[in-house]
Amino acid sequence: MNLASTVLGIVLIPLSGFVWELLASFTIYPLLNVGTFNPVTWGATLLLAAGVNAVVEGSVLRYGFKQALGRRGFWILFAANLVSVAIAFVSILMRPPKP
């Protein structure tokens, strides 16, 4: 599951961010009078990354291992991914990459 979410996430997470930017630039940003880098976008980025990972991992469970996940199982998987994505996010804030 982790391999699948890593490999597919390399493409799907940036793609989901691109779609978010397209939609938010026409809807949310004008209402809030903000640009791309704002707290709403950072929160959406965390949720999108956790959601993409949960969908990929849930699909691996369903189709690869023939395991029924259900709604509750999906949300548990989403919450676990949200924690791991949040840890990665905080680690970047604490020690940003050096150019």
Side-chain angles (χ1 to χ4, degrees):
M1 289 185 342
N2 288 326
L3 177 63
S5 67
T6 299
V7 172
L8 292 174
I10 288 171
V11 175
L12 294 177
I13 291 172
L15 184 61
S16 69
F18 180 71
V19 171
W20 165 262
E21 279 300 312
L22 285 177
L23 296 176
S25 66
F26 293 112
T27 58
I28 296 170
Y29 296 167
L31 291 174
L32 300 177
N33 195 27
V34 294
T36 297
F37 298 104
N38 62 72
V40 173
T41 296
W42 287 111
T45 300
L46 287 171
L47 294 174
L48 286 169
V52 165
N53 287 338
V55 167
V56 170
E57 292 173 5
S59 297
V60 169
L61 281 173
R62 181 176 181 182
Y63 299 111
F65 296 104
K66 308 292 187 225
Q67 297 292 315
L69 192 60
R71 285 185 182 167
R72 184 174 185 268
F74 172 81
W75 288 112
I76 290 171
L77 194 59
F78 177 84
N81 277 293
L82 186 60
V83 169
S84 66
V85 170
I87 290 170
F89 181 75
V90 169
S91 73
I92 290 173
L93 290 177
M94 291 176 66
R95 293 202 177 173
K98 295 179 182 179

